[in-house]
Amino acid sequence: MLIEVNVEDCYALADADNLPESAPSGEIAAETWENWFSVWLENQAADVPVAPGYEVSLRLTADPEMQALNLQYRQLDRPTDVLAFAALEVDCPQLEEMQSSEPLYLGDIVISIDTAQRQAQQQGHPLKTELAWLAAHGFLHLLGWDHPDEESLTQMLDRQETLLEAIGLEIQTA
């Protein structure tokens, strides 16, 4: 399955003066993101409408922008780790020719590098693993997964572990 991932690294732009020499958001190359999403798409094929290709937008940002987005869209005035804006949830008629020839836009995932760094330290795993974990969570939301209760949250977290294992990463559980 072909997927195009548009990676927008706004983290480096947000705090360019205070970035360490090796910017954490630059830890994962755009090709790596694309490979990960491709593997995840294959893993979740049953959740995805058939299309000639797929598109996802991934934005890496800092806590201030994430807090503003969280307030605007969820009425929560605090930063969060990941937000997902699913395009498949929007009722928008498409012409049959478009459905058979154009990539299907799945939506946008926004991740706060600041929050991801804190969570990676708390969990005792690399930032790369935390970013993959959050991206997998956002990706599942784009495909219609949700977690309004403990049971569905457990199912979603189990699926995230499966997605990370599929790309060779592992979350250590206590």
Side-chain angles (χ1 to χ4, degrees), residues 119-139:
Q119 290 177 175
Q121 287 177 332
Q122 291 166 354
Q123 297 297 320
H125 55 241
L127 176 60
K128 178 180 181 178
T129 302
E130 185 67 21
L131 291 172
W133 176 258
L134 296 174
H137 187 84
F139 185 66

Side-chain angles (χ1 to χ4, degrees), residues 48-66:
V48 185
V50 176
Y54 303 88
E55 292 181 14
V56 169
S57 176
L58 175 65
R59 183 177 179 95
L60 304 171
T61 193
D63 275 351
E65 181 183 15
M66 188 59 104

Side-chain angles (χ1 to χ4, degrees), residues 32-76:
T32 301
W33 284 114
E34 207 154 276
N35 290 336
W36 288 356
F37 279 97
S38 180
V39 169
W40 296 342
L41 187 63
E42 298 229 358
N43 249 275
Q44 294 301 122
D47 293 341
V48 185
V50 176
Y54 303 88
E55 292 181 14
V56 169
S57 176
L58 175 65
R59 183 177 179 95
L60 304 171
T61 193
D63 275 351
E65 181 183 15
M66 188 59 104
Q67 182 168 345
L69 290 169
N70 206 24
L71 178 60
Q72 181 178 356
Y73 292 101
R74 297 179 63 222
Q75 292 71 53
L76 297 172

